[in-house]
Amino acid sequence: MAKKKLAVFTATGCSACENSVLDVHFQISPVTPWADIAFWPYVTGSQWQDLDHVDRIDLCMFAGAVRTAADRKAALKLREKTRIMLAVGACSAFGGMPGLVNLAAVRDEGNSAGADEGIDPALPGTESRVSALSQIVDVDYVVPGCPPPKNLLWSAIQALLCPGECTSRISYAASRLPERISQCITSGILPPKGGTFAGEKAVCASCSRVKEEKKFRSAFRPYAIDPDPGRCLLEQGVLCQGIATREGCGGLCTAAGAPCRGCFGKAEAVYDPGAKMVSAVTSTFDSANADEIEAMSNEFVDLAGTLYRYTMAAQCALPVGPAKDENDAGDVL
Amino acid sequence: MNRFEPRIIAFLCNWCSYVAADAAGVARLTQLPNVRVIRVNCSGMVDPSYVMKAFADGADGVLIGGCHPGDCHYISGNIKTLRRSFLLKSLLRELGVEDGRFRLEWIAASEGPRYAKVVNEMVEEIRSLGPYVPPQRRSAKGAA
């Protein structure tokens, strides 16, 4: 059987997702009988020309948001060659932190994310707004996270690259995946298109902390409080976004006392992550007095940047940022 | 003449504000016809997501009408709405939705005239703000 071809690429991002792929470690070696790395600039130093010698990529792991004209071209080019496009990480899945640039359009009207012109040496021009991969090309599957945990990455690689063939098939990741996807992995067929390799419920479902009556009088930023171990962070006044965020991570951050930052994007049943968090946070205010409530509400700074930290570009119900500009794409690659 | 007619979604509680709206109609008070009323059992069930969705789907304004504090049919539903309103307003402001577009009002069942007044005021205020367009869709590119 012909070996499959794997491509890995990061657009606008920090490459931590690629490190996460490397972190799969000794487990990545069982893949090599089934797949060759055809394109992976970060690790093998591939050039864009190398893609021309490849007929078809079977699995492309695309990390990073689309911020520059070069990113857009890369996304289009890889999509053209690729059978299965996998968005890896929060940036590629929903815009990630680079997506917060879009807020600039609201904060000072007219002075937005800003395309830079006439800079020498010529840099790839920035587009007027940051997009998630799915807003540019068709995406088949998603692995969220910042960066994605390696068990989820590994289950995605197994499910998409060597369904039913890999010798080291695992079940530990499958137990956290939505039932349909885990069934597909264990029976060796491709999961339904559009699937997300993560849980379905909210992070609270896998968080180990005890949740009691949620009431607080004052909100704390994470550095300002040493939270009680074992008690829900939100009820101690820390803005933990677990309640609006998709699970799959196993509640790693909350277990260590850090509030959830929402890197898995919104949970399946949530309409808008910010609105959900507003509802969750305000229901914990221990007051019925309008002035007191207003004062408590004013303690929160940078609401949009906090509640949509990873999801501004793709999951915010009220699209923010300047209109997409078709002329943005320059000739860069 | 091409005058901008705002579309306003009003979530009115079954026990007070909706009755007030009814009373305003029966009393033949003049009201501007820009409001689409959605009757809810309690203003406390209006999740911030509903407000967000209304704006996302093309509303120019959202009004939530509830019983006066202390009068809630379900004891404290309107207090829940009150708690949400300030933070929701701040979030909407940061996302580019002007303050006047979202309003929470206490309107008792007997306050038909007040309902008509609130609606008329809100319509005029939003008419002066213009249609709500998410920043991304505003015509000119903000960049460079």
Side-chain angles (χ1 to χ4, degrees):
Chain A
M1 192 190 127
K3 272 187 160 188
K4 294 191 172 162
K5 303 261 191 257
L6 173 69
V8 185
F9 181 74
T10 295
T12 291
C14 63
S15 294
C17 294
E18 298 192 34
N19 284 332
S20 204
V21 176
L22 290 175
D23 258 354
V24 176
H25 242 334
F26 58 90
Q27 290 168 333
I28 200 101
S29 55
V31 169
T32 49
W34 283 278
D36 283 329
I37 294 166
F39 181 75
W40 193 348
Y42 184 61
V43 169
T44 62
S46 321
Q47 307 287 314
W48 282 108
Q49 297 88 290
D50 298 347
L51 263 190
D52 299 334
H53 306 305
V54 185
D55 295 339
R56 192 177 77 159
I57 302 280
D58 291 285
L59 173 65
C60 173
M61 303 173 80
F62 194 102
V66 178
R67 167 83 163 110
T68 67
D71 294 343
R72 178 184 287 269
K73 280 207 149 190
L76 293 172
K77 186 161 182 172
L78 282 167
R79 177 71 265 189
E80 197 185 298
K81 287 263 177 191
T82 301
R83 197 165 60 90
I84 300 176
M85 189 62 124
L86 176 67
V88 176
C91 297
S92 145
F94 3 85
M97 284 209 196
L100 290 178
V101 164
N102 296 349
L103 272 178
V106 186
R107 294 200 173 164
D108 39 5
E109 199 104 36
N111 177 22
S112 80
D116 33 30
E117 284 169 5
I119 295 176
D120 196 33
L123 297 169
T126 48
E127 306 209 329
S128 56
R129 78 183 299 275
V130 173
S131 315
L133 182 61
S134 60
Q135 292 169 318
I136 307 292
V137 296
D138 196 29
V139 171
D140 297 303
Y141 301 101
V142 172
V143 189
C146 186
K150 50 190 170 184
N151 56 343
L152 297 179
L153 263 178
W154 180 233
S155 67
I157 292 174
Q158 275 207 320
L160 304 178
L161 203 56
C162 38
E165 297 166 9
C166 193
T167 48
S168 65
R169 180 180 301 143
I170 41 154
S171 56
Y172 74 94
S175 63
R176 286 227 167 275
L177 294 173
E179 203 181 340
R180 268 165 76 199
I181 294 188
S182 62
Q183 281 174 350
C184 291
I185 296 177
T186 42
S187 53
I189 55 172
L190 276 182
K193 191 185 151 147
T196 299
F197 287 87
E200 275 171 323
K201 297 179 190 160
V203 171
C204 300
S206 53
C207 172
S208 53
R209 288 175 177 266
V210 178
K211 294 108 192 156
E212 291 164 340
E213 179 78 2
K214 289 190 175 34
K215 286 276 174 224
F216 62 84
R217 286 204 150 257
S218 185
F220 298 98
R221 305 188 75 184
Y223 67 82
I225 182 177
D226 187 16
D228 289 351
R231 249 186 84 214
C232 173
L233 291 167
L234 190 59
E235 67 190 39
Q236 297 183 56
V238 185
L239 190 56
C240 174
Q241 293 181 62
I243 208 165
T245 304
R246 189 187 280 275
E247 70 152 348
C249 56
L252 291 174
C253 301
T254 55
C260 174
R261 291 148 60 88
C263 71
F264 269 52
K266 69 181 183 69
E268 202 77 44
V270 173
Y271 172 71
D272 177 276
K276 177 73 189 176
M277 278 312 295
V278 165
S279 165
V281 170
T282 53
S283 67
T284 61
F285 288 171
D286 189 11
S287 172
N289 175 295
D291 295 333
E292 278 180 23
I293 296 170
E294 189 170 13
M296 272 189 256
S297 301
N298 290 338
E299 287 176 18
F300 295 94
V301 291
D302 189 22
L303 273 180
T306 307
L307 303 184
Y308 301 98
R309 190 184 271 121
Y310 294 96
T311 53
M312 180 54 82
Q315 293 189 336
C316 178
L318 304 178
V320 163
K324 229 173 266 177
D325 183 6
E326 296 305 323
N327 304 325
D328 268 344
D331 196 17
V332 182
L333 288 181
Chain B
M1 214 186 107
N2 228 349
R3 200 161 73 131
F4 161 58
E5 292 296 342
R7 272 170 303 185
I8 296 173
I9 302 293
F11 295 98
L12 302 183
C13 102
N14 183 43
W15 307 97
C16 295
S17 309
Y18 191 84
V19 180
D22 209 19
V26 172
R28 296 183 167 267
L29 300 174
T30 311
Q31 304 163 58
L32 295 171
N34 300 56
V35 176
R36 276 72 164 165
V37 174
I38 296 175
R39 177 162 67 162
V40 293
N41 256 355
C42 177
S43 61
M45 67 155 285
V46 181
D47 191 273
S49 309
Y50 298 2
V51 178
M52 213 68 134
K53 191 164 198 299
F55 282 116
D57 289 350
D60 299 303
V62 175
L63 168 70
I64 300 181
C67 313
H68 285 272
D71 286 353
C72 179
H73 186 79
Y74 305 100
I75 299 169
S76 63
N78 50 1
I79 301 298
K80 292 182 167 65
T81 321
L82 179 67
R83 287 202 190 107
R84 291 182 196 125
S85 61
F86 300 105
L87 205 62
L88 177 59
K89 207 167 219 182
S90 320
L91 181 65
L92 289 173
R93 195 183 307 130
E94 291 194 19
L95 294 176
V97 181
E98 296 88 342
D99 276 357
R101 295 189 189 277
F102 170 67
R103 236 166 127 159
L104 170 63
E105 292 288 347
W106 308 133
I107 305 165
S110 55
E111 293 180 320
R114 181 168 149 73
Y115 173 79
K117 183 168 158 270
V118 165
V119 163
N120 292 343
E121 264 176 29
M122 194 166 171
V123 171
E124 287 312 332
E125 188 177 355
I126 292 177
R127 209 194 296 280
S128 66
L129 284 170
Y132 168 68
V133 187
Q136 192 191 317
R137 289 194 220 111
R138 277 174 207 164
S139 58
K141 69 164 186 173

